Amino acid sequence: QVQLVESGGGSVQAGGSLRLSCAASGRTFSNYAMGWFRQAPGKEREFVASISWIGRYYADSVKGRFTISRDNAKNTVYLQMNSLKPEDTAVYYCAANPGTLLPGGSDPNYWGQGTQVTVSS
Protein backbone atom coordinates (compact mmCIF):
# COMPACT_ATOMS: atom_id res chain seq x y z
CA GLN A 1 0.00 0.00 0.00
CA VAL A 2 1.17 3.53 -0.83
CA GLN A 3 -0.11 6.63 0.93
CA LEU A 4 0.07 9.98 -0.85
CA VAL A 5 -0.41 13.39 0.73
CA GLU A 6 -0.45 16.53 -1.40
CA SER A 7 0.28 20.07 -0.27
CA GLY A 8 0.98 23.46 -1.79
CA GLY A 9 -2.31 24.29 -3.43
CA GLY A 10 -3.89 27.70 -3.10
CA SER A 11 -5.10 30.77 -4.92
CA VAL A 12 -2.98 32.83 -7.27
CA GLN A 13 -3.47 35.43 -9.96
CA ALA A 14 -2.93 34.61 -13.62
CA GLY A 15 0.75 34.63 -14.49
CA GLY A 16 1.74 33.53 -11.01
CA SER A 17 3.40 30.36 -9.76
CA LEU A 18 2.72 27.57 -7.31
CA ARG A 19 4.62 24.45 -6.33
CA LEU A 20 2.74 21.34 -5.36
CA SER A 21 4.34 18.63 -3.25
CA CYS A 22 3.32 15.03 -2.72
CA ALA A 23 4.81 12.99 0.09
CA ALA A 24 4.66 9.23 -0.34
CA SER A 25 4.96 6.47 2.21
CA GLY A 26 4.48 2.74 2.40
CA ARG A 27 6.67 1.20 -0.28
CA THR A 28 9.95 1.72 -2.08
CA PHE A 29 9.32 5.13 -3.58
CA SER A 30 11.98 4.92 -6.28
CA ASN A 31 10.28 1.87 -7.85
CA TYR A 32 7.12 3.84 -8.56
CA ALA A 33 6.19 6.15 -11.38
CA MET A 34 4.71 9.34 -9.96
CA GLY A 35 2.33 11.72 -11.59
CA TRP A 36 -0.13 14.54 -11.33
CA PHE A 37 -3.68 14.66 -12.61
CA ARG A 38 -6.29 17.38 -12.30
CA GLN A 39 -10.05 17.71 -12.39
CA ALA A 40 -11.85 20.96 -13.09
CA PRO A 41 -15.50 21.49 -12.14
CA GLY A 42 -17.79 19.68 -14.55
CA LYS A 43 -14.90 18.01 -16.37
CA GLU A 44 -13.25 14.62 -16.30
CA ARG A 45 -9.98 14.08 -14.52
CA GLU A 46 -7.04 14.55 -16.88
CA PHE A 47 -3.37 13.69 -16.97
CA VAL A 48 -0.96 16.57 -16.25
CA ALA A 49 2.54 15.13 -15.86
CA SER A 50 4.45 12.03 -14.83
CA ILE A 51 7.99 11.00 -14.01
CA SER A 52 9.56 7.54 -13.96
CA TRP A 53 12.64 5.65 -15.02
CA ILE A 54 11.69 6.17 -18.67
CA GLY A 55 11.45 9.93 -18.41
CA ARG A 56 9.03 12.80 -17.97
CA TYR A 57 5.73 13.27 -19.75
CA TYR A 58 3.50 16.34 -19.91
CA ALA A 59 0.07 17.19 -21.20
CA ASP A 60 0.27 19.55 -24.18
CA SER A 61 -1.65 22.17 -22.23
CA VAL A 62 1.11 22.51 -19.60
CA LYS A 63 4.28 21.92 -21.62
CA GLY A 64 6.77 24.72 -21.12
CA ARG A 65 4.95 25.99 -18.02
CA PHE A 66 4.93 23.05 -15.58
CA THR A 67 7.86 20.95 -14.41
CA ILE A 68 7.63 17.65 -12.57
CA SER A 69 10.51 16.46 -10.40
CA ARG A 70 11.14 14.01 -7.60
CA ASP A 71 13.45 13.59 -4.63
CA ASN A 72 13.75 9.88 -3.88
CA ALA A 73 15.63 10.58 -0.65
CA LYS A 74 12.59 12.50 0.63
CA ASN A 75 9.95 10.26 -1.00
CA THR A 76 8.48 13.38 -2.55
CA VAL A 77 7.36 14.44 -5.99
CA TYR A 78 6.87 18.07 -6.99
CA LEU A 79 4.97 19.99 -9.62
CA GLN A 80 6.31 23.47 -10.28
CA MET A 81 3.61 25.47 -12.04
CA ASN A 82 4.57 28.75 -13.70
CA SER A 83 2.65 31.18 -15.90
CA LEU A 84 -0.59 29.91 -14.45
CA LYS A 85 -3.81 30.51 -16.35
CA PRO A 86 -7.44 30.55 -15.16
CA GLU A 87 -7.99 27.31 -17.08
CA ASP A 88 -5.46 25.63 -14.78
CA THR A 89 -8.00 25.94 -11.96
CA ALA A 90 -8.75 22.43 -10.71
CA VAL A 91 -8.23 19.94 -7.94
CA TYR A 92 -4.79 18.44 -8.46
CA TYR A 93 -4.21 14.81 -7.54
CA CYS A 94 -0.93 13.04 -6.95
CA ALA A 95 -0.75 9.48 -8.24
CA ALA A 96 1.63 6.53 -8.01
CA ASN A 97 1.95 3.43 -10.12
CA PRO A 98 4.45 0.56 -10.23
CA GLY A 99 6.81 0.96 -13.20
CA THR A 100 5.42 3.60 -15.53
CA LEU A 101 2.61 6.14 -15.67
CA LEU A 102 1.84 7.28 -19.19
CA PRO A 103 -0.68 9.73 -20.61
CA GLY A 104 -3.64 7.78 -21.90
CA GLY A 105 -2.53 4.69 -20.04
CA SER A 106 -4.32 2.71 -17.39
CA ASP A 107 -5.32 4.43 -14.18
CA PRO A 108 -2.62 4.52 -11.50
CA ASN A 109 -2.95 2.24 -8.52
CA TYR A 110 -2.74 4.93 -5.85
CA TRP A 111 -4.19 8.40 -5.47
CA GLY A 112 -3.83 11.27 -3.05
CA GLN A 113 -6.77 13.19 -1.65
CA GLY A 114 -6.26 16.20 -3.91
CA THR A 115 -5.36 19.84 -3.42
CA GLN A 116 -7.22 22.82 -4.83
CA VAL A 117 -5.53 25.25 -7.21
CA THR A 118 -7.44 28.39 -8.13
CA VAL A 119 -6.14 30.88 -10.69
CA SER A 120 -7.96 34.18 -11.00
CA SER A 121 -7.82 36.48 -14.00
Side-chain angles (χ1 to χ4, degrees):
Q1 191 74 9
V2 175
Q3 293 81 41
L4 304 171
V5 179
E6 302 100 333
S7 61
S11 297
V12 65
Q13 289 192 328
S17 299
L18 283 173
R19 189 176 82 155
L20 305 182
S21 300
C22 173
S25 62
R27 290 290 181 92
T28 306
F29 179 74
S30 60
N31 291 345
Y32 280 73
M34 302 298 297
W36 292 92
F37 291 71
R38 66 187 182 186
Q39 186 167 20
K43 296 186 177 181
E44 293 186 353
R45 187 156 50 188
E46 63 176 2
F47 173 89
V48 175
S50 68
I51 184 169
S52 70
W53 64 276
I54 61 172
R56 294 176 171 87
Y57 291 85
Y58 296 94
D60 288 343
S61 59
V62 307
K63 280 180 182 176
R65 300 188 297 122
F66 290 11
T67 302
I68 189 170
S69 61
R70 65 191 295 165
D71 185 337
N72 288 340
K74 295 182 178 179
N75 284 9
T76 302
V77 63
Y78 305 97
L79 185 68
Q80 177 67 43
M81 304 185 295
N82 298 329
S83 302
L84 282 161
K85 304 176 181 179
E87 51 263 43
D88 294 317
T89 295
V91 177
Y92 283 70
Y93 296 91
C94 178
N97 202 56
T100 61
L101 183 56
L102 302 176
S106 56
D107 281 347
N109 285 8
Y110 303 101
W111 295 94
Q113 81 288 353
T115 185
Q116 177 70 46
V117 171
T118 302
V119 184
S120 59
S121 57

Coordinates of all heavy atoms in Angstrom, one line a residue, residues 31-33 51-53 97-101:
N31 N 10.8 2.9 -6.9 CA 10.3 1.9 -7.8 C 9.0 2.3 -8.5 O 8.5 1.6 -9.4 CB 10.0 0.6 -7.1 CG 11.3 -0.1 -6.7 OD1 12.4 0.3 -7.1 ND2 11.2 -1.1 -5.8
Y32 N 8.4 3.4 -8.1 CA 7.1 3.8 -8.6 C 7.2 5.0 -9.5 O 8.0 5.9 -9.3 CB 6.2 4.2 -7.4 CG 5.6 3.0 -6.7 CD1 6.4 2.2 -5.9 CD2 4.3 2.7 -6.9 CE1 5.8 1.1 -5.3 CE2 3.7 1.6 -6.3 CZ 4.5 0.8 -5.5 OH 3.9 -0.3 -4.9
A33 N 6.4 5.0 -10.6 CA 6.2 6.1 -11.4 C 5.3 7.1 -10.6 O 4.3 6.6 -10.0 CB 5.6 5.8 -12.7
I51 N 6.5 11.2 -14.0 CA 8.0 11.0 -14.0 C 8.3 9.6 -13.6 O 7.7 9.1 -12.6 CB 8.7 12.0 -13.1 CG1 10.2 11.9 -13.1 CG2 8.1 12.0 -11.7 CD1 10.9 13.1 -12.5
S52 N 9.2 8.9 -14.3 CA 9.6 7.5 -14.0 C 10.9 7.3 -14.6 O 11.6 8.2 -15.1 CB 8.5 6.5 -14.5 OG 8.6 6.5 -15.9
W53 N 11.3 6.0 -14.5 CA 12.6 5.6 -15.0 C 12.8 5.9 -16.5 O 13.9 6.0 -17.1 CB 13.0 4.2 -14.7 CG 12.0 3.2 -15.3 CD1 10.8 2.8 -14.9 CD2 12.3 2.5 -16.6 NE1 10.3 1.9 -15.8 CE2 11.2 1.7 -16.8 CE3 13.4 2.5 -17.5 CZ2 11.1 0.9 -17.9 CZ3 13.3 1.7 -18.6 CH2 12.1 0.9 -18.8
N97 N 2.2 4.7 -9.4 CA 1.9 3.4 -10.1 C 3.3 2.6 -10.2 O 4.3 3.2 -10.5 CB 1.4 3.7 -11.5 CG 0.6 2.5 -12.1 OD1 -0.3 2.1 -11.5 ND2 1.1 2.1 -13.3
P98 N 3.2 1.3 -10.0 CA 4.5 0.6 -10.2 C 4.9 0.7 -11.7 O 4.2 0.6 -12.6 CB 4.0 -0.9 -9.9 CG 2.8 -0.7 -9.1 CD 2.1 0.5 -9.6
G99 N 6.2 0.9 -11.9 CA 6.8 1.0 -13.2 C 6.6 2.3 -13.9 O 7.4 3.2 -13.7
T100 N 5.6 2.4 -14.7 CA 5.4 3.6 -15.5 C 4.0 4.2 -15.3 O 3.1 3.5 -14.8 CB 5.6 3.3 -17.0 OG1 4.6 2.3 -17.4 CG2 7.0 2.7 -17.3
L101 N 3.9 5.4 -15.7 CA 2.6 6.1 -15.7 C 2.6 7.0 -16.9 O 3.2 8.1 -17.0 CB 2.5 7.0 -14.4 CG 1.2 7.7 -14.1 CD1 0.0 6.8 -14.1 CD2 1.3 8.4 -12.8

